[in-house]
């Protein structure tokens, strides 16, 4: 691959003023915090966004809602409480009750109305089997779309959910998926595969990179063959490109799509990396992997467990490596990455530009920018 | 219950100048640090008070004594050592020996007398099956009484010892027991019970609150019935008050007494919350629960295991909630409690007034006092 | 034993200006970081020196070499990578390859030569079954000798390797071995033994202390008897000195040698305490214990497992005590040792003089010197 070294690199104006691993997600987006099926009718559920505990409450009837997961009285989790028949949540400790707006409607042992203070309520939506909250300015929530996860519910696709927890900053995940030159990491699962970079596109809030793959040695894994069909490029014979893999970060979400030689979308992955802790160095990913059903759909059903195992193994390799990156960041006290691939440089600029500095972040000194850029 | 909102609230003069969770116990009291039975003749025992390691040493003959649990030589625990036939403790490492006053009486491999420095000795008393130390100014020890634990040794009562370790500041424990409006927490063990506040008394060093209980739904647990007799207030019928529960913090100790309708004391709980760590956010409780023997005392013996299980389950619910309060304090970086119940407000003032600020505590800013009060 | 209190104590000029537990090892020496057998041909191995991760790489052919264990690209460990047929190590993530000098020779997906930055290479030597690195100034490496471990490879001795990890600063280990007055610690393994101090020698970079031992009660352990022969000083009879134990710290290494009454070296221990973490409060010891074979060598072979168990038990007692010393240092926030034995005072000066202050160390205030000396 010829690196595009002359175009689309960071200009000085875009150079990050903060260490990328101290840039928080922009809270003014919709972030998934739980699977719908985990929050049962009449129950509360404990979720978390960037150090903020969130109680998700689903009344027996009516939509799920989200409150700060701390009682206004003594700060214990409302998610440990009881959902009453009016759809309010009663704190498990002294029974204070809060409604959908977070107002305290009952302090059971006092006759006064005005004693309980409210707790914060978060805009909350349910879509595609996920519960989303809007952690930023509530006034903006209605103007920001809840993301479309295109193939979920499309009967031509079969979809798998996954939500691993990763001990790393979300930006490592974006970089990992975007840079397909890391296939060397998966040599044990995939054999010898080399990515061929086909091009990139940029916009104000997105970056897309496209690749094809060539097998340079070894056999294609069965699970892979069942999805994509067999490749025929063993023994050094040059093969025409069959599939195109497109990875796209549309801030703050990421997708990976595979189109076959006819241009049909055969795989569609959607993923959102949700920060759990206040420093955003622990990430809860929510992913939906949709695979186009073949003519005989039962073949995909048959292959489904093997496909699950295959993707799990690949993912575990990615998890190990991104967590080692985060560990190195901690040991070194900052980001020492030397990035040479223009796509990743552009991605870093996109993430740095759209995110917001962590409350504990220190601006980079002029000297540090050179190495951390 | 009608809250007494017009009286006995904090005046401005009493407003806490420090976060209550950064107020240490006053060291100029007697604190239990071990059960007597744990410190066997001729042995040493490792205890701890507020980050200070304590070696309790019981010679073969003579009273137990308490030293700082660090050899003056190389600071390893004296409690790992050997008690010799003079009642001295020899450090396990190089055999330096210390007497009851903490003086180094032997450095076995040197012929000089003056080489070993002393270790600190703590005033130490044994009473009611507990070993107490006086962690403050030793000159005050004789003027401060070792607490009376009234029913221990009274043959009309049967007494159970318990000493759970809790990952929370001791003040959360005082508040938990004093505020009987938290019966909602124990709904799974106790059924639907509502506390009726009867009144409070205050003095310079104590606060007492009295309650009765009404069952609003469900059946009375068997273990409870065996102690108190059956209530008859199911099905909404108003019942006369049968027992009065009095909770009293007499600084720094706490008691809970239950008197039946005839004014007889049927249960008497004494508890002391001893800080273990330097920030006092880990607590070792020492409790003695005395139950009046019924006419046929064997009934209480029969019920004893069930009573133990019942109190254990209730206590575990309390433990979970106070540890969640402490966890919220850490996450929020301070005390955000909004207390509306005058008894607890008075209790907070009592604890803040009698305790001493932790060495790492920062005075509350004027703006913080409003929310943390 | 009569302490030599009048000579060889610290003069004011030598008084430590830093807490001894904040004095790092001088990096300008050769330190073992792995056993040779652990680094197999064609493989990489993760080691560590004072917080610095080290990749040891042994090509299929040619000598082992040492690189900083972080890829220049994304800082993940090179030791997780693949050793190629040119003897280079390829990073497991994107396949960047580095040679023996740490130069990046390949970035497989770019056609440019100059993109990869180098990683740091450490001088590396292999000797006596150990792999040594030189963590300090590489320009000095050739002028500093790799240590001789005298009896390794001597067919008259049988040698055991051991490498425990200890949660304490390396200086505690030097002091522990040098001060033979700590036999009281091993009373359960060794019975009642008393060390007799015979004298000491000092030089610019070494300190040696010599002792004999007298049994004051109990029986000699079998394993000990198999090595040294039986003592005959039971029942209070004064016995002639049979063996002399010499402990010597030749900075930064330490040895313990036992010579029998004829002056023959019957046991020779070599040990190096290698700091693992950045604060050097975790130590990886590498030790080689050589025992002279008796006339009938099979007797030693027979006794070997028992000898291993015996030394293991003694070592575990030492481990427990030095880790308690470190724990006390942390609790107290500094070194409070009151050392009265001149040999240990001299050893402390030797270690303080030859080491270098940790990057986080604060100079001792004048008042603190008195107690920490």
């Amino acid at each position: 691959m010829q690196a595009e070294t002359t175009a689309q690199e960071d200009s000085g104006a875009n150079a990050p003023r903060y260490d990328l691993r101290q840039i928080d997600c922009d809270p003014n987006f919709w972030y998934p915090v739980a699977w719908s099926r985990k929050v049962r009718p009449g129950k509360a559920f404990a979720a978390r966004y960037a150090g903020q505990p969130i109680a998700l409450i689903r009344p027996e009837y009516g939509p799920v809602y989200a409150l700060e997961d701390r009682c206004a009285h003594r700060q214990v989790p409302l998610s440990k409480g009881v959902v009453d028949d009016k759809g309010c949540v009663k704190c498990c400790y002294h029974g204070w009750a809060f409604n959908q707006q977070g107002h305290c409607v009952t302090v059971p042992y006092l006759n006064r109305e005005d004693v309980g203070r409210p707790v914060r309520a978060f805009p909350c939506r349910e879509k595609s089997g996920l519960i989303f909250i809007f952690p930023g300015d509530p006034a903006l929530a209605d103007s920001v779309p809840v993301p479309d996860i295109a193939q979920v519910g499309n009967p031509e696709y079969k979809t798998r959910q996954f939500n691993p927890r990763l001990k790393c900053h979300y930006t490592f995940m974006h970089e990992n998926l975007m840079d397909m030159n890391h296939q060397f990491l998966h040599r044990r699962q995939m054999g010898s595969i080399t990515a061929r970079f086909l091009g990139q596109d940029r916009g104000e809030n997105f970056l897309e990179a496209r690749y094809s793959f060539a097998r340079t040695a070894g056999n294609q894994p069965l699970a892979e063959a069942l999805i994509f069909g067999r490749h025929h490029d063993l023994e050094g014979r040059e093969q025409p490109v069959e599939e195109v893999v497109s990875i796209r970060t549309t801030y703050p979400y990421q997708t990976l799509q595979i189109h076959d030689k006819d241009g049909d979308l055969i795989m569609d992955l959607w993923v959102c990396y949700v920060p759990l802790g206040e420093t955003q160095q622990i990430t809860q990913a929510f992913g939906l992997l949709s695979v186009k059903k073949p003519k005989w759909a039962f073949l995909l059903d048959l292959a489904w467990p093997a496909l699950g195992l295959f993707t799990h193994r690949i993912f575990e390799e990615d998890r190990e490596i991104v967590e080692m990156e985060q560990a190195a960041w901690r040991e070194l006290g900052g980001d020492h990455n030397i990035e040479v691939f223009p796509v990743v440089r552009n991605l870093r600029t996109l993430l740095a530009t759209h995110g917001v500095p962590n409350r504990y972040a220190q601006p980079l000194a002029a000297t540090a920018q050179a190495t951390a850029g």
Side-chain angles (χ1 to χ4, degrees), chain A:
Chain A
M1 196 208 78
Q2 177 66 46
E4 303 175 21
T5 54
T6 55
Q8 292 170 313
E9 300 220 359
D10 296 342
S11 71
N14 284 336
R17 289 167 300 126
Y18 291 90
D19 186 319
L20 184 60
R21 315 312 173 188
Q22 296 189 310
I23 297 289
D24 288 357
C25 287
D26 181 353
N28 286 316
F29 283 92
W30 290 96
Y31 289 92
V33 292
W35 300 109
S36 291
R37 64 185 154 79
K38 292 278 190 181
V39 189
R40 289 173 296 147
K43 299 290 179 188
F45 184 85
R48 190 163 274 262
Y49 178 87
Q52 172 71 63
I54 313 270
L56 299 176
I57 296 129
R58 190 191 297 280
E60 285 287 351
Y61 306 99
V64 67
Y65 62 96
L67 303 179
E68 178 180 357
D69 197 12
R70 291 186 187 105
C71 179
H73 178 208
R74 298 186 68 90
Q75 291 72 58
V76 297
L78 290 174
S79 58
K80 296 272 179 185
V82 171
V83 182
D84 71 14
D85 50 14
K86 295 183 200 118
C88 294
V89 61
K90 293 172 73 173
C91 177
C92 71
Y93 199 176
H94 300 83
W96 292 29
F98 299 86
N99 68 9
Q100 283 86 335
Q101 287 75 44
H103 296 137
C104 179
V105 293
T106 315
V107 173
Y109 50 94
L110 297 181
N111 285 339
R112 293 170 14 182
E113 287 294 311
D114 60 337
V115 290
R117 299 200 188 176
V119 296
R120 180 177 173 189
F122 293 89
C124 185
R125 300 280 187 279
E126 198 163 4
K127 187 176 177 182
S128 304
L130 285 166
I131 297 172
F132 293 83
I133 63 148
F134 194 87
D137 178 359
L140 301 177
D142 282 339
S143 66
V144 175
V146 181
D148 261 324
I149 305 174
Q151 312 315 329
V152 176
N154 181 340
E156 293 184 31
Y157 292 79
K158 187 176 174 82
T159 297
R160 174 186 297 280
Q161 297 176 338
F162 60 96
N163 65 322
R165 184 168 296 191
L166 300 131
K167 298 194 206 78
C168 72
H169 198 253
Y170 66 94
T171 54
F172 289 112
M173 298 301 295
H174 279 276
E175 293 177 274
N176 171 270
L177 196 63
M178 186 66 80
D179 188 351
M180 280 288 137
N181 298 306
H182 84 267
Q183 293 311 314
F184 186 64
L185 178 68
H186 302 306
R187 61 199 178 276
R188 279 179 293 260
Q189 309 307 326
M190 311 262 284
S192 292
I193 265 187
T194 304
R196 186 184 303 269
F197 179 55
L198 303 177
Q200 60 177 323
D201 286 310
R202 298 172 77 180
E204 191 278 321
N205 73 331
F206 78 90
L207 175 72
E208 181 177 292
R210 289 178 302 283
Y211 303 84
S212 68
F213 286 94
R215 180 164 301 278
T216 54
N219 292 317
Q220 189 183 25
L222 182 62
E224 188 188 314
L226 280 163
I227 311 170
F228 310 124
R230 294 217 169 268
H231 291 201
H232 303 281
D233 53 0
L234 303 174
E235 300 172 19
R237 292 172 300 185
E238 186 77 2
Q239 293 294 321
V241 170
E242 296 204 340
E243 298 98 21
V244 173
V245 177
S246 312
I247 300 105
R248 183 181 179 108
T249 292
T250 306
Y251 193 88
Y253 315 109
Q254 198 170 36
T255 57
L256 181 152
Q257 295 187 320
I258 305 180
H259 290 83
D260 68 9
K261 58 186 172 185
D262 304 319
D264 284 347
L265 176 66
I266 56 174
M267 203 182 95
D268 195 354
L269 168 70
W270 180 94
V271 64
C272 182
Y273 310 112
V274 183
L276 285 186
E278 200 181 15
T279 60
Q280 309 214 352
Q281 292 178 9
I282 299 177
T283 293
Q284 180 77 60
F286 286 88
L288 292 156
L289 174 67
S290 299
V291 178
K292 181 82 177 290
K293 292 176 185 171
K295 193 185 290 184
W296 294 287
F298 73 93
L299 285 177
L300 184 57
D301 295 336
L302 276 177
W304 203 241
L307 178 66
L309 187 61
F310 176 69
T311 53
H312 173 75
R313 284 180 175 165
I314 288 180
F315 184 80
E316 285 304 307
E317 291 175 340
D318 286 321
R319 173 210 294 279
E320 186 184 8
I321 205 80
V322 291
E323 293 187 349
M324 289 192 300
E325 289 193 277
Q326 180 69 64
W329 183 91
R330 276 199 208 96
E331 279 203 4
L332 293 167
D335 189 3
H336 286 225
N337 281 23
I338 304 299
E339 193 48 62
V340 296
F341 184 38
V343 169
V344 177
R345 294 176 71 94
N346 290 334
L347 176 61
R348 292 168 65 91
T349 301
L350 178 75
L351 295 170
T353 308
H354 283 266
V356 293
N358 188 269
R359 57 183 290 198
Y360 302 113
Q362 297 292 327
L364 290 174
T367 51
Q369 289 191 42
T371 54

